[in-house]
């Protein structure tokens, strides 16, 4: 009975979380860009993402400005925001899909602010290089293998793992090419502008 009540409370919190996000836009000029810088929007929503340390991030974290270092093992991110956050093999959260619109930024900011250890950060642009992004992409087979192994565990929501697996094959390459442009040129690419290869 207690367990059912707890599950019901978690579902209610998740529904409220989703309802609050509806106030933030999805459609806008950012949809046309190969890479949209989410940090100005994030800074309008919060003063900090946390105190996550770059050297503590998971190797599974997708390149981009947001990442998680050491987080608690309560699995809040994978439960409430599985389309962006999963739990690594070290039981810490990581960002498997960077936000591409204000609603997704708001969701990740809210999740980071609720993380008990404050393990998220938004300074990835200061650490990623074009070379390290390409290196991460070249190792994506190991990510695929991790996803398949993880399906036998119950740390992550199955649809979160499905989302990551699908994104690896459909969309992530385009995102990373836009991010490479951002890192190299320090600006968003114009619509139709040539992007670097991975």
């Amino acid at each position: 009975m207690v367990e059912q009540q707890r599950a019901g409370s978690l579902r209610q919190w998740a529904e409220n979380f989703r309802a609050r996000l509806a106030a933030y836009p999805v459609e806008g000029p950012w949809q046309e860009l190969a890479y949209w810088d989410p940090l100005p929007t994030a800074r309008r929503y919060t003063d900090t993402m946390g105190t996550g340390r770059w050297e503590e991030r998971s190797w599974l974290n997708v390149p981009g400005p947001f990442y998680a270092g050491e987080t608690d093992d309560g699995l809040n991110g994978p439960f409430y925001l599985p389309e962006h956050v999963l739990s690594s093999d070290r039981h810490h959260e990581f960002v498997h899909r960077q936000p591409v619109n204000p609603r997704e930024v708001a969701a990740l900011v809210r999740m980071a602010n609720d993380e008990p250890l404050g393990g998220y950060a938004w300074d990835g642009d200061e650490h990623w290089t074009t070379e390290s992004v390409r290196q991460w992409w070249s190792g994506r087979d190991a990510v695929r293998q991790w996803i398949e192994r993880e399906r036998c565990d119950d740390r992550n929501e199955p649809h979160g793992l499905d989302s990551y697996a699908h994104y690896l094959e459909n969309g992530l390459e385009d995102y990373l090419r836009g991010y490479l442009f951002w890192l190299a040129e320090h600006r968003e690419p114009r619509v139709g502008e040539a992007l670097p290869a991975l």
Side-chain angles (χ1 to χ4, degrees):
M1 183 66 169
V2 173
E3 194 60 35
Q4 289 177 336
Q5 289 175 337
R6 182 174 180 276
S9 296
L10 289 174
R11 282 194 299 273
Q12 185 62 50
W13 196 97
E15 290 172 10
N16 292 340
F17 176 76
R18 297 288 175 184
R20 288 192 298 270
L21 292 176
Y24 299 92
V26 173
E27 298 179 356
W30 46 82
Q31 292 176 282
E32 306 299 321
L33 301 174
Y35 181 79
W36 169 70
D37 177 17
L39 290 179
T41 299
R43 290 189 180 106
R44 285 200 303 272
Y45 298 161
T46 187
D47 294 330
T48 180
M49 281 289 286
T51 56
R53 298 176 57 188
W54 176 255
E55 57 271 18
E56 293 176 346
R57 81 194 184 287
S58 170
W59 63 277
L60 295 158
N61 206 105
V62 164
F66 300 100
Y67 64 92
E70 183 179 358
T71 63
D72 80 331
D73 58 0
L75 304 179
N76 288 344
F79 181 78
Y80 295 121
L81 199 61
E83 64 268 38
H84 289 280
V85 176
L86 291 170
S87 176
S88 74
D89 40 12
R90 296 186 328 167
H91 300 274
H92 296 159
E93 296 176 5
F94 69 92
V95 178
H96 70 87
R97 187 180 183 122
Q98 297 284 336
V100 297
N101 60 56
R103 184 176 299 176
E104 293 180 354
V105 171
L108 195 58
V109 162
R110 187 176 294 272
M111 190 56 50
N113 287 340
D114 287 343
E115 206 287 306
L117 298 182
Y120 281 80
W122 56 11
D123 62 347
D125 292 355
E126 299 173 18
H127 300 283
W128 287 107
T129 65
T130 54
E131 293 80 13
S132 64
V133 170
R134 288 186 171 108
Q135 184 178 16
W136 187 95
W137 178 248
S138 71
R140 65 192 180 279
D141 278 346
V143 178
R144 292 188 185 104
Q145 293 165 13
W146 176 85
I147 291 171
E148 291 311 308
R149 289 194 307 272
E150 193 64 17
R151 293 185 190 282
C152 300
D153 203 314
D154 62 357
R155 273 189 315 233
N156 289 298
E157 298 294 312
H159 60 282
L161 294 169
D162 292 343
S163 175
Y164 195 10
H166 183 266
Y167 191 41
L168 276 173
E169 310 302 329
N170 302 277
L172 182 53
E173 181 175 5
D174 291 339
Y175 172 84
L176 291 179
R177 291 183 66 200
Y179 188 54
L180 283 177
F181 185 100
W182 169 260
L183 291 175
E185 304 296 331
H186 308 291
R187 64 174 176 84
E188 295 169 344
R190 291 183 287 272
V191 175
E193 193 165 11
L195 301 174
L198 272 174

